[in-house]
Amino acid sequence: MLRNDKPRPGEFFQRDRSLHPPQYTPGYKTSVARSPRYALLSLENTISEMTGPVFGHNDIDPIDNDLIKNYAKTGDPIGERIIVHGRVLDESGRGVPNTLVEIWQANAGGRYRHKKDTYLAPIDPNFGGCGRTLTDENGFYFFRTVKPGAYPWRNYVNSWRPAHIHVSVFGTSFVQRLITQMYFEGDPLIKVCPIVNTIPDPQAIDQLIAPLDMNAAIPLDCLAYKFDIVLRGRRSTLFENRLEGN
């Protein structure tokens, strides 16, 4: 109990590390330097971690979820126009409302708007590569963007990342932030990606691949891909950083 006799909020579930890809995976060379060398510490959640912040509709701009318009200066960005949509769900298939979903991605040429990205593809002056939105009362969300390009990275001599979009989902506090990556159906680079291949469960990989959804496509405008995000249970989406959902 707290000093004011109010009950202490219950702590969040600890992640199940047995379901996560190994932190040390030599085939993914960056993991060699990033993986822990000492035993991990378990820290008790603080009250501030468990109770805030709370996101509301006033924190979201009306075009934050439209990456075609939210950074445009002189026109639309170059690339294949797409819609990414889906639902944030719990383990029982119920939509999770008012959840902050954020995405970031490379442009159509495969380059991020970041000073350390030196890939030779050009920066698109009309594309920022970031967006966010809140799920509605039934857990639905959607973004409009351009399909990101593949890009090379210094893992092996000729390693390429498949086209992907980074996805972040916030719960009721910062310590409930979950991060994953969404890939696109039919991309041949998925099977040869060293990062994807750190995931031991083929079913978990399949859940990171968004299928083409012609029913949500807009004729003469853009295609659509559906990506549902499941927070807990056997059908949970695999998250990179925390497995509260698993």
Side-chain angles (χ1 to χ4, degrees):
M1 300 290 286
L2 302 178
R3 289 183 179 178
N4 59 4
D5 293 330
K6 291 183 179 180
R8 177 185 175 88
E11 289 203 21
F12 297 127
F13 289 110
Q14 297 293 315
R15 73 181 80 175
D16 184 348
R17 297 184 184 277
S18 67
L19 297 174
H20 204 280
Q23 293 175 315
Y24 177 73
T25 312
Y28 172 24
K29 291 185 178 181
T30 309
S31 74
V32 175
R34 291 178 175 175
S35 55
R37 295 291 187 271
Y38 301 100
L40 302 180
L41 299 176
S42 296
L43 301 177
E44 184 178 3
N45 293 147
T46 65
I47 294 176
S48 61
E49 288 175 333
M50 292 183 288
T51 58
V54 176
F55 299 103
H57 288 278
N58 291 336
D59 301 312
I60 306 296
D61 190 272
I63 62 169
D64 276 356
N65 68 335
D66 189 348
L67 282 68
I68 291 177
K69 296 296 185 184
N70 68 12
Y71 196 84
K73 306 248 184 337
T74 60
D76 289 349
I78 296 171
E80 178 185 341
R81 300 156 65 94
I82 63 171
I83 289 172
V84 174
H85 75 106
R87 298 179 72 193
V88 177
L89 303 165
D90 65 15
E91 70 270 32
S92 299
R94 295 171 297 198
V96 182
N98 301 314
T99 298
L100 181 67
V101 182
E102 297 177 320
I103 65 171
W104 62 98
Q105 63 169 92
N107 65 22
R111 186 169 177 178
Y112 290 94
R113 182 171 288 279
H114 192 283
K115 63 182 180 181
K116 291 188 176 181
D117 189 340
T118 58
Y119 179 38
L120 54 80
I123 290 289
D124 189 329
N126 293 306
F127 188 72
C130 301
R132 60 182 183 169
T133 190
L134 286 172
T135 59
D136 68 11
E137 64 274 13
N138 296 308
F140 286 99
Y141 75 91
F142 83 94
F143 293 93
R144 192 171 72 139
T145 185
V146 297
K147 190 174 182 179
Y151 58 83
W153 60 302
R154 296 184 182 276
N155 194 65
Y156 296 117
V157 174
N158 194 27
S159 293
W160 287 74
R161 295 283 354 258
H164 62 279
I165 295 177
H166 301 266
V167 182
S168 163
V169 180
F170 274 99
T172 57
S173 71
F174 276 129
V175 294
Q176 282 189 306
R177 188 187 187 196
L178 302 173
I179 301 172
T180 190
Q181 294 184 24
M182 185 201 92
Y183 301 93
F184 294 87
E185 180 182 32
D187 189 337
L189 289 174
I190 295 174
K191 291 183 178 181
V192 297
C193 176
I195 294 179
V196 175
N197 286 329
T198 65
I199 303 171
D201 184 354
Q203 183 178 358
I205 295 175
D206 289 342
Q207 290 169 342
L208 299 180
I209 301 174
L212 181 68
D213 184 2
M214 292 302 294
N215 290 327
I218 301 176
L220 304 178
D221 187 339
C222 56
L223 294 174
Y225 292 85
K226 185 178 181 181
F227 188 62
D228 288 339
I229 302 167
V230 184
L231 300 180
R232 293 189 61 80
R234 293 178 59 191
R235 298 175 60 194
S236 171
T237 303
L238 181 69
F239 298 103
E240 300 172 4
N241 60 329
R242 297 175 181 269
L243 289 193
E244 287 93 342
N246 292 318

